[in-house]
Amino acid sequence: MAIERILKDDASEEKGERARMASFVGAMAIADLVKTTLGPKGMDKILQSTGRGQTVTVTNDGATILKSLHIDNPAAKVLVDISKVQDDEVGDGTTSVVVLAGELLREAEKLVASKIHPMTIIAGFRMAAECAREALLKKVVDNKANEEKFKTDLMKIAKTTLSSKILSQDKEHFAKLAVDAVLRLKGSTNLESIQIIKKPGGSLKDSFLDEGFILDKKIGIGQPKRIENANILVANTAMDTDKVKIYGARVRVDSMAKVADIEAAEKQKMREKVDKILAHGINCFVNRQLIYNFPEELFANAGVLAIEHADFDGIERLALVTGGEIASTFDNPESVKLGHCKLIEEIMIGEDKLIKFSGVEMGQACTVVLRGASHHVLDEAERSLHDALCVLSQTVNDSRVLFGGGWPEMVMAKAVDELARTTPGKRSHAIEAFSRALVAIPTTIADNAGLDSAELVARLRAEHNKEDSNAGIDVISGSVGDMSELGISEAFKVKQAVLLSATEAAEMILRVDEIITCAPRRREDRM
Amino acid sequence: MALAFDEYGRPFIIIKEQEQKTRLRGLDAQKANISAGRSVARILRTSLGPKGMDKMLSSPDGDVTITNDGATILEQMDVDNQIAKLMVELSRSQDYEIGDGTTGVVVMAGSLLEQAEKLLERGIHPIRIAEGYELASRIAVEHLERIAHKFEFGENNIESLVQTCMTTLSSKIVNRCKRQLAEISVKAVLAVADLERKDVNLDLIKVDGKVGGKLEDTELIYGIVVDKDMSHPQMPKQIQDANIAILTCPFEPPKPKTKHKVDIDTVEKFEALRRQEHQYFDDMVQQCKDVGATLVICQWGFDDEANHLLMHRNLPAVRWVGGVELELIAIATGGRIVPRFQELTAEKLGKAGLVREKSFGTTKDRMLYIEHCANSRAVTVFIRGGNKMMIEETKRSIHDALCVARNLIRNNSIVYGGGSAEIACSIAVEAAADRYPGVEQYAIRAFADALDAIPMALAENSGLQPIETLSAVKSQQIKENNPHCGIDCNDVGTTDMREQNVFETLIGKQQQVLLATQVVKMILKIDDVISAAEF
């Protein structure tokens, strides 16, 4: 009697070695895919979407690349997920985490092939990861107390992050920009309050940070183009026709005259509303919703600058910078907090007119205007800047700093190697493998830069055998250099997240001995 | 095929369109069923025990689940075979009843089927086998009762509970910090447990997770965590000693249920209506303010106008809070859910010592913590982890641990794990078999053999020699008359499970034996499978 099929027709099942192989291969393929983008000399990828327009993205941000891939292999999906989490959590290191997880699995595959049980490998990996973390913790530098030093730390981190991106040419400029922007947040990690405006034209060098706030809107016609000492009312209210909200109300009239009456009443209502708003003693009114011609005209008559249709983020930021509150009712002008700023004016960037609020009170938000040759450049620049901002804002909260350029990996590898030597049993093979996987990161950085990785990594290892070495790979000169002199730093939080989530993901994939794939849901065939 | 002839030799048609249907009868049907059941059990067999492996499941939509929880694996497996579906049901009912041991029950059923097949080949009638199994299962359950221990625990003495939860967690991926998670689970259960009635309402424990951070950051919050933020960005992010108004009515003008129309035909009416509407919003906020509320939690949304009025009057508010969460908040804060503004009174407000908003990561994720509640009978386990699959798996593991802790509060008897209980039962059943005259004796012996399958699988998964290890442990149990000897999965060096602190709940084990026997009996009784033709 033949064994009957247990699963549905299209579902498949893979077991034991085959399953493990499928997941290893999938995970390593993903890691190899993003591997070449690692490091300051990493290359970019072009992504072409299959959707309408076939939009093209050029990037070397690991998370962005992986997000846009269509993947079928379940193990690969785990890697994509960790890179996404890394992006959400710390913002940078999205490539490293995938590469490290891939290397761990590559080493694990060899161990499995030499008949070591996956559970033993996992036990070894866990010990190694814990030991690596300890090693990093011992070496961290915390300059929180010294503001001057802390700022240089931030600058270094920003420069290191940016050096692998498209902005590397102007990293000095952008690093300063990012550090200034993040310091303005005063410890908050809410990056929403840093607005990035992209305007094609000019060169990347022309990008600047504006102390105040720039709103990508035009000033209504016939209204003042420049206001000094502005009192701003930030509002979210309907300025078209203010509907009666009571349910079931409707207008029913029996003569034309009455229609006219009601229209007049509606107009009167709007006029009253505008009067009430004006009673706040303002000279600038910013609304999230539409402003119709009629009220706009009323505002113009009163010499008030009225800006309509600011998006919700814009409103929130504006409220944040000017210190006003977002108002929706206008009956008690005395208790509404107005926003203030020294100067509102219309400025030109490229060919577009924007409204600039300068001399704001709170200064918790700011605007970065990016200029660049094309949309692709701008998009990539924005992603790079976003990475830098994320890392910096996390560093402000957790100010522990490490050197970069493969230094942390070598420190960890050294500690893990020592652990392997003192651990009895089969686990020591796994621990040793872990250290090999760690070394793969500086190797990849060197490879991507076209350097002799074997030579460099060997020299690096020798260098690290001395006490308190600061040696790392200096990609620019192609040799081993002192990271503290070169000013290459990375945030501890990023490295820790890379280490832990890569180990977790590798462990997860290793534990699998069977893959069951359900039949893909059928889509309706459209003719 | 079923074909009958009448006295003139014409065939009757008994089953509609019978030539298109496949039909299996007699021994063939039983063997086909048994082999289907066994192949399901074979999938789960490698997941058993602390060294068990995980399965990766890819759903029809391409979502990936990695788990070693038997019930979850079977549920997501897209099973088509009817008998295999019975096995799925089996592990699900163990999940509902006990919450843990979902893998073990399937493995046991599989090995019972395997033994039954051998007996069938020797020509024993399936009903006799089923009866024998029934007798044997009764002996096993009674024996479990005999070897069970009761242990004492109290509010302050939770060590034994934690140990039991750790046994459950050690087979999951989270075993890296099983101690911490076990403590969290036990504390959570004790916080909501009704020790006098010996009952625990697990609905009061909310298990929530967010990706990011590491597993060690998982925490137990004596209060509620809601994945929402304040309705207005400028409302205070932290409120001390909050009086919470819990509303299920929107901050909007009322919508009477009876049909009505308001006709506006004159300017005066228009004006009047406008004023009234205005008044209405003001009144709503005023009513909340009057009773002394300092935080409004609302099931519905509110208008921009209402939002601003609330902000203006310094009354923070949260909107679009789900019904279940609302109930939990009401329980935790001791407040009442108020359906109308008119019914709002000071007594109906909930009290919480601290309400705060916490943001995560670089995205704009914020969550609302409601802590130090008047009545801490609702708690939240908040899980952090490196990726989505990890969080999901941790949720399942915590669920198992919570169930175990609950079962212990209901019934504080435990048996020892590591396969020791199964081996002890197997010896008892084997010994009892000789007393039964008749064919059942064979079935009872087969049952004893089947019980050995679990320790065997444990040993196999741990990389030990299965037969050698099992026979060594078995002889040790008989020699020393010690039912606590089990498989030393973690290579600790002792086979005494009391020293290793590996416990399982008595009711969980009993349920496993009973459920597995029931399903096997059901499968054995089937002797005819008629399935519709493939289209």
Side-chain angles (χ1 to χ4, degrees), chain B residues 303-324:
Chain B
D303 226 62
D304 288 335
E305 265 185 71
N307 200 0
H308 176 251
L309 274 174
L310 286 168
M311 159 75 200
H312 197 82
R313 300 283 189 85
N314 236 333
L315 191 58
V318 186
R319 55 182 155 182
W320 294 312
V321 177
V324 182

Side-chain angles (χ1 to χ4, degrees), chain A residues 166-435:
Chain A
I166 196 168
L167 300 175
S168 61
Q169 292 307 311
D170 312 298
K171 62 179 173 195
E172 196 77 31
H173 180 67
F174 280 100
K176 201 168 155 5
L177 215 136
V179 172
D180 282 348
V182 167
L183 284 179
R184 291 177 76 87
L185 292 180
K186 301 192 179 73
S188 137
T189 53
N190 186 4
L191 293 179
E192 294 287 315
S193 39
I194 299 177
Q195 189 191 20
I196 300 180
I197 292 180
K198 297 175 282 183
K199 287 281 167 207
S203 76
L204 280 173
K205 259 213 182 73
D206 298 333
S207 310
F208 61 92
L209 173 85
D210 197 272
E211 302 270 309
F213 181 79
I214 295 180
L215 201 61
D216 197 355
K217 287 281 168 284
K218 289 192 183 65
I219 294 178
I221 296 161
Q223 292 169 345
K225 295 273 185 252
R226 184 186 159 89
I227 296 177
E228 281 180 40
N229 287 330
N231 289 326
I232 308 164
L233 180 65
V234 186
N236 178 10
T237 182
M239 291 301 278
D240 35 8
T241 49
D242 207 353
K243 288 186 289 286
V244 176
K245 290 185 194 98
I246 290 178
Y247 184 70
R250 62 171 181 174
V251 180
R252 174 178 276 183
V253 288
D254 44 17
S255 72
M256 282 307 286
K258 283 194 175 155
V259 176
D261 280 351
I262 290 199
E263 247 187 48
E266 258 183 26
K267 244 184 182 173
Q268 184 57 35
K269 186 183 167 196
M270 186 47 71
R271 197 186 299 274
E272 272 170 28
K273 192 164 182 180
V274 172
D275 283 343
K276 271 189 211 159
I277 292 170
L278 292 176
H280 289 67
I282 53 163
N283 43 20
C284 176
F285 176 73
V286 185
N287 191 15
R288 188 172 82 85
Q289 299 176 27
L290 212 70
I291 304 179
Y292 265 25
N293 288 358
F294 177 63
E296 192 175 343
E297 189 192 315
L298 293 177
F299 282 123
N301 285 344
V304 169
L305 172 63
I307 303 166
E308 64 168 7
H309 247 196
D311 53 276
F312 201 82
D313 287 343
I315 282 286
E316 267 187 41
R317 282 192 204 114
L318 197 62
L320 213 59
V321 275
T322 59
E325 70 181 52
I326 302 173
S328 293
T329 54
F330 310 99
D331 288 325
N332 337 39
E334 60 292 339
S335 61
V336 171
K337 248 171 79 191
L338 294 178
H340 298 281
C341 80
K342 290 263 157 49
L343 180 67
I344 301 176
E345 59 182 343
E346 203 173 54
I347 53 163
M348 300 273 289
I349 298 177
E351 285 192 339
D352 294 311
K353 283 182 194 158
L354 303 168
I355 306 168
K356 179 172 166 184
F357 298 78
S358 45
V360 288
E361 269 182 359
M362 309 280 278
Q364 277 205 12
C366 55
T367 305
V368 177
V369 180
L370 287 178
R371 310 296 314 274
S374 73
H375 278 291
H376 302 308
V377 173
L378 282 176
D379 286 346
E380 177 65 358
E382 186 190 357
R383 274 192 292 274
S384 314
L385 198 62
H386 176 256
D387 278 7
L389 290 174
C390 287
V391 176
L392 289 176
S393 68
Q394 295 294 332
T395 318
V396 171
N397 285 336
D398 182 349
S399 59
R400 288 173 288 183
V401 171
L402 296 164
F403 293 120
W407 178 85
E409 282 81 10
M410 293 312 289
V411 169
M412 289 191 275
K414 189 183 161 204
V416 172
D417 255 342
E418 269 159 27
L419 176 73
R421 262 178 249 147
T422 52
T423 309
K426 283 191 220 170
R427 273 176 303 189
S428 75
H429 292 288
I431 299 173
E432 228 178 287
F434 195 93
S435 116

Side-chain angles (χ1 to χ4, degrees), chain A residues 6 8 77 81 88 119 126 245 250 252 269 324 326-329 331 335 504 511 513-514 516 518, chain B residues 46 52 54-56 58 62 78 80 175 234 261-262 264-265 274 277-278 305 308 312 362 386 388:
Chain A
I6 303 291
K8 286 206 180 120
K77 279 188 190 148
D81 197 56
D88 290 347
M119 286 297 165
R126 274 189 191 165
K245 290 185 194 98
R250 62 171 181 174
R252 174 178 276 183
K269 186 183 167 196
I326 302 173
S328 293
T329 54
D331 288 325
S335 61
E504 225 165 58
R511 278 175 71 103
D513 75 336
E514 182 151 343
I516 298 168
C518 295
Chain B
T46 52
D54 287 3
K55 310 282 172 227
M56 192 182 264
S58 174
D78 220 2
D80 205 21
N175 61 7
Q234 286 164 327
K261 266 187 218 132
V262 184
I264 303 170
D265 49 9
R274 244 184 66 207
E277 177 192 304
H278 197 93
E305 265 185 71
H308 176 251
H312 197 82
T362 59
K388 205 171 65 211

Side-chain angles (χ1 to χ4, degrees), chain B residues 42-56:
Chain B
R42 208 164 43 228
I43 291 175
L44 289 192
R45 198 181 149 93
T46 52
S47 292
L48 204 67
K51 293 278 167 77
M53 306 292 280
D54 287 3
K55 310 282 172 227
M56 192 182 264

